[in-house]
Amino acid sequence: MKVIVVGAGVVGTMHAWHAVERGHEVVHIEREAEARGASLRNFGQIWVSGRAGGEELDTALRARELWEGIGARVPGLGFRAIGSLTPVRDDLELAVAEAALARPDAAARGYKLLTPDEARAVNPALRGAFEAALWCERDAAVEPRLAQLALREALLATGRYTFLPNREVRDVVGDSAVRDDRGETHTGDAVVLCTGAWLSGLVREVAGEIPVRRVRLQMMQTEPLGEPLTTSVADADSFRYYPAYASPALDALNDGRPQDPTAAAHKMQLLMVQRLDGGLTIGDTHEYEHPFAFDTLEDPYEHLTRVVESFLGRPLPKIRRRWAGVYAQCVDTSRVVHRQRVADGVWLVTGPGGRGMTCSPAIAETTANELGW
């Protein structure tokens, strides 16, 4: 069997991975020299803790299992089973954490409420003041700027994988075939379009107006911290953002203490993970209304800096990079991904939202199963 995969971000690369794993030949087409979109511009977090119960959590847990197995075979991914800590600072935030612990799926997530001393035993870099911390043992991390490159190197070594960069697919032509901007036709037994946030052009032509929106974010990365940050770290604004924390306690938090004005204006939460070089990836904002700004704003970065420094009890290292990114998200955010047959033998898979890095191995596995690879 021959599979044509369009798009070399993490969702496309994982589709190529599953196809090759099942003994098939893959031709992988990417319009740039290599992927440069949301698959690189993220935290690299395998984020189980905040996922909605049911299909979303099941997908994230399966993906977490797959990431660990792939990471053992492809060390260049930088897979690390580091878990996460969400420090809480008052009774309102603490009540949300306690409500999360009462969920029937709390054990599957690895939830535990830690005292400040217990949290610092897990992550000594958290020297700031807080009342407790929600620990999620199942959270993990990979290196987003390296993951696709490492996976591609492993795929090339199989001899059943061909990577064709700098080619934009322009047309779906016949059954299980596409034509690129060089006029070349690529025919297989199946085609999977993993086009990320590219929702116009070919995608609109073959799929029409799909229930997927684009979301813009801002993030930053520091120089090396100079010490290990042994877990991912979130703040209590993540309770407001992730569906796992919905509860009467969260309603009381929202009513009793509105979000910081800057954080509210930019729909922010703090997420932070340390890179292999010691720097910290920190974010993020969420912008949903088009047209998106073309520049980045300083107020969100200043807010994030204040929050991080209050947890670390020390100044942040110098900021090395700032960037914006755009990802595709299903309008119905309870859906893990938008998967649509757009022609005979041609499928579109897009819209995982902020779950792309977390869930991509399981999303691709589901596609492979449904298509009978």
Side-chain angles (χ1 to χ4, degrees):
M1 182 175 181
K2 183 178 181 181
V3 179
I4 312 297
V5 178
V6 178
V10 69
V11 174
T13 301
M14 282 298 177
H15 278 82
W17 177 271
H18 279 286
V20 169
E21 282 287 283
R22 297 177 186 213
H24 306 312
E25 179 186 352
V26 170
V27 175
H28 199 179
I29 306 172
E30 166 57 38
R31 63 177 176 167
E32 308 234 31
E34 59 186 53
R36 297 171 54 83
S39 296
L40 279 74
R41 306 181 197 193
N42 66 77
F43 298 95
Q45 288 177 311
I46 315 305
W47 195 248
V48 173
S49 50
R51 301 300 171 201
E55 180 188 2
E56 184 176 335
L57 177 60
D58 291 344
T59 302
L61 287 169
R62 174 57 180 159
R64 167 66 171 77
E65 179 183 2
L66 290 167
W67 270 120
E68 186 165 12
I70 297 169
R73 295 170 55 189
V74 186
L77 292 177
F79 177 85
R80 307 181 303 283
I82 55 177
S84 72
L85 287 171
T86 304
V88 297
R89 290 176 160 158
D90 58 32
D91 290 344
L92 288 172
E93 294 179 358
L94 178 60
V96 181
E98 290 173 336
L101 286 169
R103 293 183 58 97
D105 54 22
R109 302 170 191 266
Y111 278 161
K112 186 177 180 181
L113 193 63
L114 304 183
T115 68
D117 286 344
E118 289 171 336
R120 293 187 185 103
V122 174
N123 191 339
L126 296 177
R127 300 186 183 92
F130 52 92
E131 295 298 315
L134 182 64
W135 163 248
C136 181
E137 181 269 337
R138 298 302 293 160
D139 289 337
V142 296
E143 292 299 293
R145 293 173 183 257
L146 303 177
Q148 280 72 247
L149 299 177
L151 287 167
R152 188 189 311 155
E153 183 178 349
L155 287 166
L156 287 167
T158 67
R160 298 193 304 277
Y161 173 84
T162 301
F163 181 61
L164 300 179
N166 298 309
R167 295 173 184 247
E168 184 171 317
V169 170
R170 293 285 179 83
D171 300 292
V172 172
V173 287
D175 297 348
S176 305
V178 295
R179 183 166 54 237
D180 66 27
D181 56 359
R182 303 186 187 195
E184 296 183 19
T185 298
H186 308 274
T187 303
D189 299 288
V191 175
V192 184
L193 306 174
C194 301
T195 56
W198 177 38
L199 303 176
S200 58
L202 174 69
V203 173
R204 183 177 293 127
E205 289 174 10
V206 300
E209 295 295 334
I210 60 176
V212 175
R213 63 180 176 180
R214 299 169 79 234
V215 182
R216 183 179 186 267
L217 55 80
Q218 286 186 202
M219 295 175 59
M220 63 183 178
Q221 187 169 329
T222 72
E223 295 284 353
L225 182 63
E227 63 178 320
L229 186 78
T230 55
T231 71
S232 296
V233 176
D235 73 347
D237 279 341
S238 67
F239 293 158
R240 307 176 196 262
Y241 183 76
Y242 283 106
Y245 304 115
S247 66
L250 179 62
D251 295 338
L253 171 65
N254 288 327
D255 293 340
R257 185 163 49 73
Q259 195 173 17
D260 173 273
T262 298
H266 298 281
K267 300 176 178 62
M268 296 179 68
Q269 60 178 340
L270 167 71
L271 297 176
M272 176 170 61
V273 63
Q274 190 170 45
R275 302 270 64 92
L276 291 178
D277 69 357
L280 305 177
T281 299
I282 301 170
D284 61 346
T285 64
H286 299 87
E287 183 179 353
Y288 302 100
E289 299 299 324
H290 293 196
F292 292 143
F294 61 84
D295 47 8
T296 59
L297 300 176
E298 280 301 300
D299 285 354
Y301 291 121
E302 291 172 359
H303 169 79
L304 289 168
T305 298
R306 288 193 297 271
V307 175
V308 172
E309 290 183 345
S310 71
F311 285 153
L312 298 180
R314 53 165 285 185
L316 265 185
K318 178 182 177 180
I319 304 302
R320 176 189 291 173
R321 303 184 181 100
R322 304 174 193 266
W323 67 89
V326 177
Y327 60 80
Q329 180 187 58
C330 291
V331 174
D332 177 359
T333 56
S334 68
R335 294 180 59 190
V336 174
V337 74
H338 178 76
R339 189 181 286 107
Q340 177 181 345
R341 179 179 174 272
V342 298
D344 288 343
V346 183
W347 290 79
L348 172 67
V349 182
T350 188
R355 300 169 290 212
M357 204 68 179
T358 294
C359 292
S360 55
I363 289 170
E365 181 182 58
T366 298
T367 301
N369 291 340
E370 291 185 358
L371 271 60
W373 292 358

